[in-house]
Amino acid sequence: MSLKWLITYVVCWCFLLSKKSVAGVKTYTIGAIFHEDSDDIETAFECAVKHFNTFNTAISFRTRILHVPNDNSFTVYHEFCQMLEDEEDGLVAIFGPPSTPSVDIIDSIASKIELPNVQIHSSSYLWPNQSFNLYSINVHPGLEQLQIGIGKIVESLQWKVYAILYEDIESIIRLQQVLRLTHVGKEHVVLRKIDPTTFRPVLKELKKLGYAHIIIDYDYRYLIEILENAKALDMDAHTVDLSHLDILANITTMTITDMNDKFTYRFVKECDIGRTISINNSVDIPNTYVKFRPGLMWDAANIFMNSFFELHLTENHLVTKATCDGKETTGHGFRLANYMKIRLIPNTITGEIQFQNDQRSTLVLHVIEMMHGHATKTAVWSSANPEMVSFVRSEKEQKNLIDLYIKNTTFIVTSKTGRPYLMYKETEDPDEVLEGNDAFEGFTFDIIDHISKMLNFSYKFMITANNKHGSYDKEKKTWDGLMGDILNRRAHLGICDLTITEERRSAVDFSLPFMTLGISILYSKPKPQERDIFAFMDPLDPVVWLYIIAAYISITLSMYFLTRLAPGDWENPNPNDPDPEELENIWDLKNSSWLILGSTMSQGSDILPKGLSSRMGISMWWFFILIISSSYTANLSAFLTTSRLGPNIEGAESLASQTKIKYGTLNGGSTQSFFKQSNYSIYQRMWAQMSQAKPSVFVNDYAEGIKRVKTAKNQLYAFIMESSSIEYETERDCELKQVGGRLDSKGYGIAMPVNAPYRTAINSCILKMQEDGTLRGLKEKWWKEMHGGGACKEETDSSSSDMKLALDNIGGVFVVLFSGVGIACLLALAEFFWNVYSVSVEEHKSYKQILITEVQFFLKVWKTKKRTYEVSRSRSNLSNVAEVYSTLTKKED
Ligand code: GLU
């Protein structure tokens, strides 16, 4: 301390002591009006006066306190007048009352008798801009600052969906800037007035609607009651010990008293008000929780007493007794009130206090976050820099706090069952019942397990009701499935094949994607055709076959007649006779039909017509057969190939352009929303077809969709699902295949509440797992190895074997061949027996004799020449003649 200051200091004390010793300590009376229930404020007031008297030896104050009812202005008026009446030395100021109903009456009396009126109530919300009484000093923050501050803090929380619960019109005015942040009444923000009778139903309704962020502007004394149903945000909420409340919620409150300030701490200690919690191993002052009204009263009392004292130094106050009728006024009020408004005020516990236009113009709001029952200051808003909220935790502090939170929390992980993401573990012993996490296995289970090991937390899996991913019901305004669990704070994390979508993102936060995929089509491979040995007939319609037969008969007849008419077909039967007596026509019905048949089979014939007209006729037949047989050949190969490939779909476009094959998606999933919301005409067309299809083409889970694809008759159902799951299914079920590419590209993420403190930590785990190949390894394990993966590897080239024609396809040709040859054999036998009969008749021999001769000859297969019966007969006749001749000659001899 410099010498100059030391001298000044000593002189001052000498001056004060001399005054005290000369005039004695002058005591002034401060009046104060409180309600019966304003204990803390009264304590703060008394404590401030006591504090001043202890440290000030020049003057002292005593208090005169009046307790008045809350709602009876008439009584307040009378009691205050009585107080003035009774106070012989007069009052130096009147403090209070602390709440609005009777403020005006005291204010008007004070103004009439020029008595300073120090107030701590919130300025009139209904007429915020009304001009203040010259004798009033209100240390309560101005309404406009409060509105802006609350608005900015709520904005900084970045909530998109929230509910506002308010007490009365004043709450609404206070929250005006918050209401301006968004369109209340539109989808994402609801506003509800509450009172103790409606806490339960309103909070129940909000829970049902899935509102996880709730702003509550209500008397803090009801906070515990409200918090038992929900979470809170209130100016004094941070003072309530919430550690016994078993809630998952983060509670954010705001206050104007700085909980880490040494003056606040001193105030709390000295006045035995509020509570303090010392921070372990820290040299910092303990966290101090104090209600803001006692704080305001402490500041107000100090401002007044110090101002009064400072004016007292220069001029001895002449305080006179004033009365309600206004005949007597105090005389000092105007100067004192004005001095208080311009004086620099140090060491306050409600932040810097300055006045502008008779209102307090400065405000600092401290944002307090409560986690596991501990409150920490996270951010500060100041009217000096109204556009920004500054976060006060250092990055390291923030990280440590989050680490602590993560370690101390058992994470509830909501999920749904679905292969291979999460499945119930199968046990070898059927009687063994697995419980808790042991009951599950799967890809997502492993991911959470890895993350839990990295971050060192414990977790517990639960299966969401209805086993749904999560879709939004616009009518009920609720989310179901995993999304509902996260929004209703039933779980910290939600993981399954949950696609990150814009709609879901507006309600919850997602981690970085742990898998990327797209929508694609699952379809069945063509089933082995039912074999038809007469498939060679299929290329031509049965009617065409009938027409060909009819054409064959009619052309045969036509040729028969044509050749009879055509002179060229009448020929000389004996070419050695140049001048024959008769001409011969070889074109009987037998030859005509043989000629037509020969050319039908592309074999031609050894005899051909020679007449002009008959040649013309046969040429037309050949032309006809040329076209028919080449059409048949071409059609046969195409027909056999396509019938084995099944219906031809190549992707979404080809599905959209047909109506025969039905297709659908999972009900309520992101794939369904993709088509519903698409602006692309093909997908819109597909959505129209899907939504109008009867019976419904939508299914309740993937298993149902896959079954439908496999069992649909003639492959008439395709299922649109996500490529990751298609890949899994086609690895195991070789009857299934993916058709076409991906229609879009997206990812699966872990869902968590908006601004969840553990989000960054989870994201870095996912990145790490991506970089070190863990995610890839897990994919390999669950897709290719576990539960029958890789079963369809060898199947990929099976299509070429499908291309071969099996006997069953062309067996009919053999049937025709052998049955034709069989008939030929029968005909041959018939001809043979008929010939035997004819010979026996002709030769006058017995049938049996001829038959034996013929069969014997037939069995001598080496003989290729056969004697006719006529020759044999003449030979036998000759031998008979020779016999007769030799007998005769023998006789002559
Ligand atoms: N992954 C989808 C979702 O999160 C469900 C499956 C689908 O819609 O195909 O909604």
Side-chain angles (χ1 to χ4, degrees):
M1 197 184 283
S2 70
L3 186 64
K4 187 177 151 200
W5 277 109
L6 186 69
I7 294 167
T8 316
Y9 189 73
V10 171
V11 169
C12 263
W13 273 107
C14 292
F15 173 73
L16 287 173
L17 286 175
S18 68
K19 264 195 149 211
K20 194 173 181 179
S21 60
V22 173
V25 178
K26 181 107 173 72
T27 302
Y28 297 96
T29 310
I30 308 174
I33 299 175
F34 297 115
H35 301 306
E36 264 98 27
D37 57 357
S38 40
D39 295 350
D40 282 351
I41 305 172
E42 195 176 328
T43 310
F45 174 68
E46 294 276 23
C47 182
V49 173
K50 199 170 143 209
H51 177 88
F52 181 88
N53 289 342
T54 312
F55 291 97
N56 197 302
T57 45
I59 57 169
S60 73
F61 292 101
R62 68 184 174 81
T63 58
R64 171 87 199 263
I65 290 170
L66 191 60
H67 289 110
V68 294
N70 246 343
D71 49 0
N72 192 338
S73 304
F74 188 68
T75 316
V76 174
Y77 174 79
H78 276 285
E79 291 195 10
F80 179 51
C81 290
Q82 192 58 50
M83 186 189 201
L84 289 173
E85 227 18 88
D86 294 348
E87 204 50 58
E88 279 310 317
D89 292 339
L91 296 176
V92 284
I94 181 77
F95 277 65
S99 68
T100 328
S102 35
V103 162
D104 289 347
I105 191 100
I106 300 297
D107 205 33
S108 63
I109 299 171
S111 133
K112 198 160 135 197
I113 62 174
E114 296 178 14
L115 180 67
N117 178 204
V118 185
Q119 299 168 355
I120 59 159
H121 71 94
S122 48
S123 54
S124 177
Y125 284 103
L126 295 175
W127 300 282
N129 295 325
Q130 69 171 330
S131 73
F132 272 69
N133 180 338
L134 289 177
Y135 302 94
S136 300
I137 305 100
N138 192 345
V139 290
H140 191 284
L143 175 63
E144 202 186 331
Q145 305 296 347
L146 203 57
Q147 287 171 336
I148 298 172
I150 294 174
K152 283 287 166 199
I153 288 170
V154 171
E155 194 180 355
S156 77
L157 296 173
Q158 294 178 354
W159 291 345
K160 292 181 185 117
V161 182
Y162 55 89
I164 299 172
L165 305 187
Y166 67 95
E167 183 174 5
D168 50 25
I169 182 89
E170 293 193 0
S171 326
I172 287 290
I173 294 169
R174 230 178 345 249
L175 295 172
Q176 216 171 66
Q177 289 295 329
V178 177
L179 300 179
R180 277 191 198 143
L181 288 178
T182 180
H183 300 287
V184 177
K186 291 224 170 149
E187 271 177 41
H188 296 320
V189 179
V190 293
L191 199 61
R192 295 279 185 279
K193 185 172 184 327
I194 50 166
D195 59 55
T197 61
T198 57
F199 288 165
R200 188 158 280 275
V202 169
L203 288 164
K204 220 167 153 188
E205 183 204 345
L206 294 182
K207 200 168 172 196
K208 214 172 116 218
L209 295 179
Y211 280 89
H213 299 302
I214 306 177
I215 296 174
I216 301 174
D217 188 306
Y218 208 84
D219 187 339
Y220 76 96
R221 283 168 295 189
Y222 291 90
L223 194 58
I224 292 280
E225 200 179 321
I226 298 173
L227 283 182
E228 267 157 7
N229 300 287
K231 303 93 198 171
L233 184 120
D234 180 274
M235 288 281 267
D236 278 336
H238 68 293
T239 62
V240 182
D241 183 2
L242 301 170
S243 49
H244 69 282
L245 272 179
D246 181 21
I247 46 177
L248 281 180
N250 278 352
I251 298 168
T252 305
T253 71
M254 51 184 103
T255 175
I256 62 168
T257 52
D258 185 353
M259 60 181 278
N260 301 124
D261 184 66
K262 66 174 190 276
F263 291 109
T264 316
Y265 176 61
R266 260 192 231 158
F267 161 63
V268 166
K269 279 271 135 209
E270 200 175 320
C271 303
D272 195 17
I273 226 168
R275 62 196 180 94
T276 58
I277 292 181
S278 56
I279 309 158
N280 286 346
N281 310 323
S282 169
V283 287
D284 283 340
I285 44 159
N287 277 349
T288 309
Y289 308 103
V290 61
K291 291 175 194 165
F292 88 108
R293 277 174 197 274
L296 280 179
M297 180 50 91
W298 168 271
D299 281 349
N302 278 323
I303 294 168
F304 171 77
M305 289 184 293
N306 286 314
S307 306
F308 188 89
F309 169 62
E310 280 160 20
L311 279 186
H312 179 83
L313 288 180
T314 52
E315 52 189 79
N316 238 330
H317 286 298
L318 211 60
V319 179
T320 51
K321 177 179 171 175
T323 49
C324 263
D325 53 18
K327 284 183 187 147
E328 297 289 338
T329 57
T330 61
H332 69 282
F334 183 71
R335 276 173 51 72
L336 184 58
N338 274 332
Y339 182 65
M340 282 170 73
K341 287 174 194 169
I342 55 164
R343 177 182 175 270
L344 200 72
I345 304 162
N347 307 341
T348 59
I349 61 172
T350 63
E352 189 191 342
I353 299 178
Q354 277 180 32
F355 295 93
Q356 206 174 35
N357 299 335
D358 296 337
Q359 280 194 38
R360 176 171 172 174
S361 60
T362 48
L363 171 66
V364 176
L365 285 175
H366 305 268
V367 181
I368 313 288
E369 225 168 69
M370 307 213 193
M371 248 189 227
H372 289 294
H374 296 291
T376 25
K377 185 160 84 176
T378 56
V380 175
W381 175 88
S382 164
S383 56
N385 188 3
E387 281 313 307
M388 78 179 253
V389 174
S390 11
F391 292 88
V392 292
R393 273 193 213 137
S394 72
E395 240 172 72
K396 198 165 165 255
E397 275 173 344
Q398 182 80 7
K399 198 176 166 303
N400 289 344
L401 210 79
I402 291 169
D403 285 351
L404 193 78
Y405 174 84
I406 292 174
K407 266 181 211 134
N408 287 332
T409 307
T410 299
F411 280 75
I412 308 293
V413 185
T414 178
S415 188
K416 69 173 279 293
T417 52
R419 303 192 309 170
Y421 305 101
L422 191 75
M423 298 163 282
Y424 285 108
K425 228 186 247 170
E426 278 169 20
T427 55
E428 278 164 20
D429 175 6
D431 294 333
E432 195 183 350
V433 182
L434 297 175
E435 275 176 1
N437 291 343
D438 290 343
F440 301 107
E441 62 173 358
F443 178 62
T444 55
F445 186 87
D446 283 359
I447 291 181
I448 293 294
D449 195 56
H450 268 82
I451 295 178
S452 80
K453 282 182 185 133
M454 284 170 168
L455 297 180
N456 195 13
F457 66 76
S458 53
Y459 62 93
K460 192 169 174 311
F461 263 80
M462 66 173 239
I463 301 295
T464 184
N466 301 333
N467 211 33
K468 296 256 180 240
H469 294 82
S471 56
Y472 184 61
D473 185 331
K474 281 210 173 101
E475 269 161 34
K476 291 193 205 149
K477 297 200 163 105
T478 53
W479 286 90
D480 62 5
L482 268 69
M483 292 289 296
D485 288 342
I486 296 291
L487 284 168
N488 292 323
R489 293 294 204 274
R490 283 189 286 265
H492 296 89
L493 298 171
I495 188 168
C496 67
D497 50 335
L498 187 68
T499 310
I500 304 171
T501 63
E502 155 55 25
E503 192 186 25
R504 286 176 180 159
R505 178 60 196 82
S506 67
V508 300
D509 269 354
F510 278 100
S511 68
L512 292 172
F514 57 83
M515 180 178 261
T516 47
L517 58 130
I519 294 175
S520 195
I521 300 164
L522 180 80
Y523 197 47
S524 56
K525 285 186 188 157
K527 302 226 169 60
Q529 288 288 305
E530 281 174 17
R531 306 282 184 169
D532 178 9
I533 55 168
F534 292 105
F536 70 89
M537 304 266 302
D538 291 349
L540 297 183
D541 197 82
V543 178
V544 179
W545 284 115
L546 287 178
Y547 271 90
I548 291 173
I549 294 167
Y552 171 74
I553 295 167
S554 56
I555 298 300
T556 302
L557 289 173
S558 310
M559 282 308 293
Y560 174 66
F561 290 113
L562 268 177
T563 45
R564 286 192 75 75
L565 288 174
D569 287 315
W570 291 97
E571 289 177 279
N572 180 1
N574 183 3
N576 297 329
D577 180 3
D579 198 13
E581 283 181 8
E582 50 186 26
L583 295 175
E584 188 189 29
N585 190 327
I586 56 167
W587 295 107
D588 53 7
L589 270 178
K590 208 169 95 190
N591 279 348
S592 302
S593 64
W594 183 242
L595 169 71
I596 301 298
L597 193 64
S599 38
T600 307
M601 301 295 179
S602 316
Q603 297 307 311
S605 168
D606 46 354
I607 48 168
L608 289 168
K610 292 189 180 140
L612 190 67
S613 53
S614 51
R615 280 184 174 173
M616 173 74 189
I618 196 68
S619 315
M620 285 304 102
W621 176 251
W622 288 341
F623 173 75
F624 167 78
I625 284 304
L626 175 75
I627 301 299
I628 290 288
S629 71
S630 33
S631 313
Y632 173 83
T633 316
N635 228 16
L636 180 67
S637 67
F639 198 86
L640 288 178
T641 317
T642 50
S643 66
R644 253 170 301 119
L645 288 180
N648 184 24
I649 47 168
E650 276 151 16
E653 281 83 357
S654 54
L655 265 189
S657 60
Q658 55 83 54
T659 52
K660 211 169 146 204
I661 302 167
K662 300 280 175 241
Y663 45 90
T665 65
L666 182 78
N667 221 345
S670 59
T671 306
Q672 191 181 49
S673 316
F674 169 82
F675 285 100
K676 211 192 269 183
Q677 289 158 8
S678 179
N679 291 327
Y680 186 46
S681 65
I682 290 183
Y683 302 151
Q684 282 175 341
R685 210 169 341 127
M686 288 175 80
W687 173 245
Q689 283 197 33
M690 284 192 261
S691 51
Q692 283 157 20
K694 294 251 159 42
S696 170
V697 287
F698 300 116
V699 296
N700 289 324
D701 55 35
Y702 269 179
E704 190 187 331
I706 293 161
K707 188 168 161 215
R708 206 158 157 183
V709 169
K710 286 172 69 177
T711 53
K713 214 173 150 205
N714 298 329
Q715 296 176 269
L716 288 182
Y717 185 78
F719 187 50
I720 305 176
M721 60 195 279
E722 285 165 334
S723 56
S724 47
S725 297
I726 295 184
E727 203 183 313
Y728 180 82
E729 295 301 334
T730 51
E731 272 285 329
R732 284 156 185 80
D733 191 335
C734 314
E735 281 178 39
L736 298 171
K737 64 171 179 180
Q738 175 175 339
V739 172
R742 298 179 183 183
L743 311 191
D744 63 352
S745 173
K746 50 202 178 188
Y748 293 149
I750 305 175
M752 54 194 106
V754 173
N755 291 339
Y758 40 86
R759 188 172 143 210
T760 318
I762 299 249
N763 276 345
S764 36
C765 287
I766 288 181
L767 276 182
K768 255 187 229 146
M769 286 167 74
Q770 234 158 33
E771 282 163 17
D772 65 14
T774 311
L775 282 178
R776 207 187 142 72
L778 288 179
K779 167 114 197 267
E780 197 76 10
K781 170 182 165 191
W782 288 104
W783 263 252
K784 310 256 178 213
E785 292 161 18
M786 300 290 283
H787 302 305
C792 299
K793 251 183 213 150
E794 284 87 40
E795 281 277 316
T796 41
D797 234 25
S798 64
S799 51
S800 61
S801 69
D802 282 356
M803 299 300 286
K804 290 176 193 144
L805 285 180
L807 180 64
D808 288 353
N809 293 103
I810 50 165
V813 186
F814 290 89
V815 172
V816 171
L817 170 69
F818 288 110
S819 46
V821 172
I823 293 167
C825 291
L826 290 177
L827 272 176
L829 283 175
E831 273 184 329
F832 177 78
F833 290 118
W834 179 252
N835 186 41
V836 171
Y837 171 74
S838 314
V839 171
S840 69
V841 171
E842 251 175 57
E843 299 296 320
H844 305 291
K845 287 192 178 160
S846 74
Y847 184 83
K848 195 176 158 194
Q849 198 183 355
I850 299 295
L851 182 65
I852 292 168
T853 314
E854 285 296 320
V855 171
Q856 280 173 346
F857 179 78
F858 171 73
L859 294 175
K860 288 176 192 164
V861 290
W862 57 91
K863 288 208 170 184
T864 52
K865 287 188 182 158
K866 187 180 177 184
R867 211 177 274 156
T868 61
Y869 279 94
E870 245 168 75
V871 173
S872 343
R873 201 169 50 239
S874 57
R875 279 213 181 148
S876 77
N877 285 345
L878 278 178
S879 65
N880 285 345
V881 170
E883 257 173 55
V884 171
Y885 176 75
S886 69
T887 4
L888 283 175
T889 49
K890 272 179 191 169
K891 275 182 186 172
E892 281 174 7
D893 289 340

